[in-house]
Amino acid sequence: MLKQLSKKSLNVAMIMVLSVGVLAACGQKTDTAQQTPKPAENSGAAGGTTTQQPAKSETIEGTVTASGSSALLPLVKAAADEFMKNNPKVTINPTAGGSGKGLKDVADGTSNIGNSDIEAGPEYKDKGLVDHVVAIAPFALIVNKDVTIDNLTKAQATDIFTGKIKNWKEVGGPDKNIVVVHRPDSSGSRALVKKIVLDGQEFTKDGVTQESSGAMATTVGQTPGAIGYVDTPYVKDPIKALKFEGVEFSKDNIKGGKYPLYGVEHMYTKGEPTGATKAFLDFIMSPEFQGKRVEELKFLPADLLKK
């Protein structure tokens, strides 16, 4: 009996040893499975799943200088204020000085953007300038409110600006001397009037010259018998805009080809813009700004004449 018990005890012990070994092996397999790393989700392996990481929004920062056309200045200033409000790490400094100055500044690299009412001439052909058309600017012939006429033909306007007509009574107005207010030679506004109204003839040397559109409007408003020309955002009391060939400035009249006094507004960069300069130009050309703000600022959308 003792032998049988011993044999039985030995069998039980062997079974227990085998059970412990099996359990240990199972535990080892479980640990190994838990420690095996999962394949990367964005490994891009053939047949695998690629997960795009969300792009981080980059903070726009820097300083942008824009010089040139005083006609375009109201739009650039308004756009700059709105853009800086949304991008507090950007500073935009818009100044005037005339289209000629804007083109020279951007070509020389002293401004990031050159604002101009006219296209860059052949002298800038090899300067690497890139043209960004941002708006259409209606222009108007303006007079002091004491001038009682409301229309000039092209021939009458030409004779006034070239100095052949010197008194308003010669075109149906009061017996009052005409004072011509000019812009300097660097002005895009002057170039446009010379081309569209005077057919290339020279302005009279009589009169006074003002450096900016704002100063032009102020001088005409304060000078009895004065006449000048500005883009329409500057038209307000005490000056009045004249009809040209019996047609007043309006979006429809410009689009329909009935009113020829307007400028295509350019913002030139030297090479393709980058950084804050590109972001600012993209903002001006955005559907939101072009579709609403441009006309609120008394300009017209850049693509008006393409529609």
Side-chain angles (χ1 to χ4, degrees), residues 31-275:
D31 291 344
T32 304
Q34 289 174 345
Q35 291 170 10
T36 301
K38 294 181 180 179
E41 290 183 345
N42 61 346
S43 63
T49 302
T50 301
T51 302
Q52 296 281 346
Q53 294 298 323
K56 294 181 180 179
S57 57
E58 295 183 6
T59 300
I60 303 168
E61 55 186 24
T63 299
V64 179
T65 53
S67 61
S69 166
S70 63
L72 186 55
L73 190 60
L75 184 145
V76 179
K77 273 188 172 180
D81 289 343
E82 293 172 29
F83 186 80
M84 287 189 292
K85 191 179 296 182
N86 295 325
N87 299 275
K89 291 190 175 182
V90 176
T91 300
I92 300 174
N93 296 318
T95 58
S99 298
K101 176 173 171 54
L103 289 167
K104 185 177 185 305
D105 286 351
V106 72
D108 291 346
T110 56
S111 285
N112 301 113
I113 298 172
N115 301 324
S116 179
D117 310 322
I118 54 175
E119 289 187 13
E123 66 271 30
Y124 295 103
K125 182 180 178 182
D126 300 322
K127 299 294 185 181
L129 300 189
V130 177
D131 187 6
H132 310 271
V133 175
V134 297
I136 304 296
F139 278 77
L141 305 183
I142 56 170
V143 293
N144 185 278
K145 63 181 180 180
D146 69 352
V147 177
T148 54
I149 66 169
D150 63 3
N151 175 69
L152 282 175
T153 66
K154 182 176 179 177
Q156 289 171 332
T158 298
D159 286 347
I160 288 171
F161 284 117
T162 57
K164 293 177 183 176
I165 293 178
K166 298 180 180 295
N167 192 297
W168 284 111
K169 68 180 180 181
E170 297 179 61
V171 291
D175 185 5
K176 188 180 291 289
N177 289 333
I178 296 172
V179 179
V180 178
V181 184
H182 301 279
R183 292 291 311 284
D185 290 338
S186 62
S187 163
S189 303
R190 179 186 176 109
L192 284 170
V193 172
K194 181 177 179 179
K195 178 182 177 181
I196 298 169
V197 179
L198 307 185
D199 289 330
Q201 296 183 63
E202 293 298 328
F203 285 89
T204 177
K205 296 188 182 300
D206 294 334
V208 295
T209 300
Q210 294 296 341
E211 292 296 322
S212 69
S213 296
M216 161 76 82
T218 299
T219 301
V220 171
Q222 294 176 348
T223 307
I227 184 172
Y229 44 86
V230 290
D231 62 321
T232 56
Y234 289 96
V235 176
K236 59 189 75 174
D237 285 337
I239 62 175
K240 67 178 181 180
L242 298 178
K243 294 177 182 177
F244 185 71
E245 292 282 349
V247 180
E248 63 185 356
F249 73 85
S250 72
K251 179 179 180 179
D252 289 341
N253 285 338
I254 290 174
K255 186 176 180 180
K258 298 176 182 177
Y259 188 84
L261 292 178
Y262 62 86
V264 177
E265 299 301 319
H266 310 262
M267 294 178 76
Y268 282 94
T269 55
K270 190 163 188 175
E272 292 295 339
T274 58

